[in-house]
Amino acid sequence: ELPAHFISANHEIHIKNPKLWWPLGYGEQPLYEVTMSLLHHGVVMDSRTEKIGLRTLQLEKNFTPGKQEFLFRVNDVPIFIKGTNWVPLSALHSQDISRVYEAIGLCVEARCNFIRCWGGNVYESDEFYNLCDQHGILVWQDFAMGNTNYPQSGQFFEMIEKECANVIQRLRNHPCIAVWSGDNEVDYKNLGYYYPNYASRYNRVSRELLPRLTQAHDPYRYYIASSPEIPEGFNAYNVPEQHNWGARAWYKDDFYKNSTAKLISEIGYHGCPAPKSLRKFIPEDKLWPLDNDVWAIHSTEDIRIEPIKNGRNHLMRNQVALLFGEVPDNLSEFSFLSQISQAEALKFFVERARAKKWECTGIIWWNMLDCLPQISDAVVDYYFNKKIAYHYIKRVQNPILVFITETEGWHQSVLISNDTNEDVEVSFTVIDYDKGETLLNGKRTVKAGHNIEAGKIWSTVSNQNLYIITYSVNDKEYGNHYITGLPPL
């Protein structure tokens, strides 16, 4: 029982040996039920009960060239981010709540420890944040603005102040909330207007209004101005947090391999839904070939762009042609090869980020689930049918992973990554599938939070090989694979 001498007060409550809340893969998620009552002369005037998690969180952010950083620490432990971007659960928002439990289940199964609630979103239900608390999923919360111009004063400021203050007050006691972000890509969009100076693209909403609100209502949590945040003198690809889209050509292009991002907070690759899903929203006579108005309508691209063969569907077709040397003449094979293309791309992106730990501190790929029937980057379609990429991601987001890097010189490195709080012993075998030969095997101890090189295998850039990796940790078996060589495959 503590005195409240005025309309506001600060007090400390000390808990001996607290049970700490950890992100998924780093520990447990104990939650304390706290009831707070306001008394006046012994009479309860108001009461509130919440479940909270006890943890510390720091965001180490630095824009200085050569010293850039974007690292989350929880309970003083650096956390390697493996997560997904989150879009509205349904285009019909009354259905959102009916989809949230299965959607979060997908994230837990895929071992995501992070969700970025993208600025083109709606603010999620209490159930969403409660589930993230329970499962150890950190949440990056964009305020619901993105990709456009916003009024810089007046009635809009008044509206945003009420809306965002309400959002902060509702969500601030959730341990899952890691960071507030002003918006999605407004800094990035303003670069595209080629304003003559920084003052012309200065955004008062994200630089003045929202920092004041977060300071007033949630001063213990970090705030960033935009995603990506691009201060004066910087561009989209020399800041620590980046959205790595590029030309979306071959997934091993230099753009992807040589990303300078400390945290990749958006990156994706198209994958065609399965024919059984396409048949639910595309008439049979429009199913194939894909050059028609119905496919264009269900693309994630502007309807005016698809017919001139410059949209996302045609990009997806070009990705299939690039990887396999041709485009199949039937829907079943096209869908299958497109999903392999997407799966290999996202697998490569995650493994590349893990290979560069802690030079790179994580990856938040785009995206888990479609909010409407469409052809997109999502790894699970609107009907909850998993694309091949989902299964690949589930493997490579395992907290302990054995994987193979790209060829350098005449060799490829076999790495073991440990994204847990404990030292582990890993037994592994790498097999050349075509020859049936064991290329490398052994047993290694990997310290908590570290990567080690377990060995090297001989390779050339042009040789096309399929390597099968099996490994075990604490008597539990896991698997992975790697495809070498230049396309077409």
Side-chain angles (χ1 to χ4, degrees), residues 201-317:
R201 58 184 178 92
Y202 178 80
N203 182 5
R204 289 187 61 219
V205 180
S206 64
R207 264 56 179 200
E208 297 176 23
L209 176 61
L210 293 176
R212 176 167 59 81
L213 290 176
T214 53
Q215 180 191 34
H217 300 296
D218 195 15
Y220 292 101
R221 197 167 267 115
Y222 290 85
Y223 170 80
I224 62 174
S226 186
S227 181
E229 183 176 346
I230 308 174
E232 185 173 10
F234 291 85
N235 62 52
Y237 295 117
N238 67 358
V239 290
E241 176 234 338
Q242 297 178 19
H243 294 183
N244 283 172
W245 288 104
R248 309 190 201 203
W250 188 35
Y251 54 82
K252 293 186 182 181
D253 275 354
D254 284 346
F255 174 82
Y256 297 116
K257 285 198 297 186
N258 301 327
S259 169
T260 60
K262 296 300 178 180
L263 176 71
I264 302 169
S265 51
E266 282 189 20
I267 190 170
Y269 215 75
H270 254 58
C272 185
K276 68 177 181 180
S277 292
L278 292 170
R279 286 188 166 89
K280 293 181 179 180
F281 61 92
I282 296 180
E284 196 69 30
D285 63 339
K286 296 286 190 176
L287 276 172
W288 192 258
L290 60 79
D291 299 307
N292 64 68
D293 56 346
V294 179
W295 274 73
I297 288 169
H298 290 281
S299 166
T300 56
E301 189 59 87
D302 190 317
I303 182 62
R304 295 166 296 182
I305 294 177
E306 284 293 352
I308 61 174
K309 302 188 188 312
N310 196 32
R312 304 287 178 85
N313 290 341
H314 292 89
L315 174 63
M316 179 176 62
R317 182 173 64 180

Side-chain angles (χ1 to χ4, degrees), residues 62-69 232-234 238-240 262:
N62 189 344
F63 283 88
T64 306
K67 299 179 181 179
Q68 291 194 348
E69 192 59 270
E232 185 173 10
F234 291 85
N238 67 358
V239 290
K262 296 300 178 180

Side-chain angles (χ1 to χ4, degrees), residues 142-388:
D142 277 3
F143 290 105
M145 291 173 282
N147 306 73
T148 193
N149 290 311
Y150 290 93
Q152 294 294 295
S153 62
Q155 186 178 3
F156 182 77
F157 263 44
E158 295 175 10
M159 180 182 71
I160 287 296
E161 181 158 10
K162 291 178 182 178
E163 174 183 305
C164 293
N166 180 280
V167 169
I168 297 167
Q169 291 168 10
R170 177 168 73 93
L171 302 180
R172 62 189 173 190
N173 288 334
H174 286 279
C176 66
I177 301 289
V179 65
W180 300 108
S181 169
D183 56 61
N184 176 76
E185 292 188 357
V186 172
D187 279 13
Y188 181 84
K189 178 271 307 175
N190 283 343
L191 280 174
Y193 289 131
Y194 301 104
Y195 292 130
N197 55 61
Y198 180 76
S200 299
R201 58 184 178 92
Y202 178 80
N203 182 5
R204 289 187 61 219
V205 180
S206 64
R207 264 56 179 200
E208 297 176 23
L209 176 61
L210 293 176
R212 176 167 59 81
L213 290 176
T214 53
Q215 180 191 34
H217 300 296
D218 195 15
Y220 292 101
R221 197 167 267 115
Y222 290 85
Y223 170 80
I224 62 174
S226 186
S227 181
E229 183 176 346
I230 308 174
E232 185 173 10
F234 291 85
N235 62 52
Y237 295 117
N238 67 358
V239 290
E241 176 234 338
Q242 297 178 19
H243 294 183
N244 283 172
W245 288 104
R248 309 190 201 203
W250 188 35
Y251 54 82
K252 293 186 182 181
D253 275 354
D254 284 346
F255 174 82
Y256 297 116
K257 285 198 297 186
N258 301 327
S259 169
T260 60
K262 296 300 178 180
L263 176 71
I264 302 169
S265 51
E266 282 189 20
I267 190 170
Y269 215 75
H270 254 58
C272 185
K276 68 177 181 180
S277 292
L278 292 170
R279 286 188 166 89
K280 293 181 179 180
F281 61 92
I282 296 180
E284 196 69 30
D285 63 339
K286 296 286 190 176
L287 276 172
W288 192 258
L290 60 79
D291 299 307
N292 64 68
D293 56 346
V294 179
W295 274 73
I297 288 169
H298 290 281
S299 166
T300 56
E301 189 59 87
D302 190 317
I303 182 62
R304 295 166 296 182
I305 294 177
E306 284 293 352
I308 61 174
K309 302 188 188 312
N310 196 32
R312 304 287 178 85
N313 290 341
H314 292 89
L315 174 63
M316 179 176 62
R317 182 173 64 180
N318 291 340
Q319 290 165 347
V320 170
L322 186 158
L323 189 59
F324 297 104
E326 60 181 309
V327 177
D329 61 2
N330 63 87
L331 176 63
S332 178
E333 193 173 359
F334 175 80
S335 171
F336 179 64
L337 295 186
S338 171
Q339 288 195 23
I340 290 177
S341 170
Q342 179 193 37
E344 288 291 336
L346 289 169
K347 175 182 183 297
F348 179 77
F349 298 157
V350 174
E351 289 184 333
R352 186 73 177 175
R354 294 190 74 167
K356 297 167 68 177
K357 186 175 75 175
W358 293 99
E359 179 186 345
C360 174
T361 65
I363 180 169
I364 311 171
W365 38 268
W366 190 284
N367 68 307
M368 179 62 78
L369 179 66
D370 275 327
C371 66
L372 74 163
Q374 63 175 345
I375 302 102
S376 75
D377 303 89
V379 300
V380 181
D381 70 31
Y382 178 74
Y383 306 103
F384 286 98
N385 292 315
K386 298 172 182 174
K387 300 176 187 176
I388 295 171

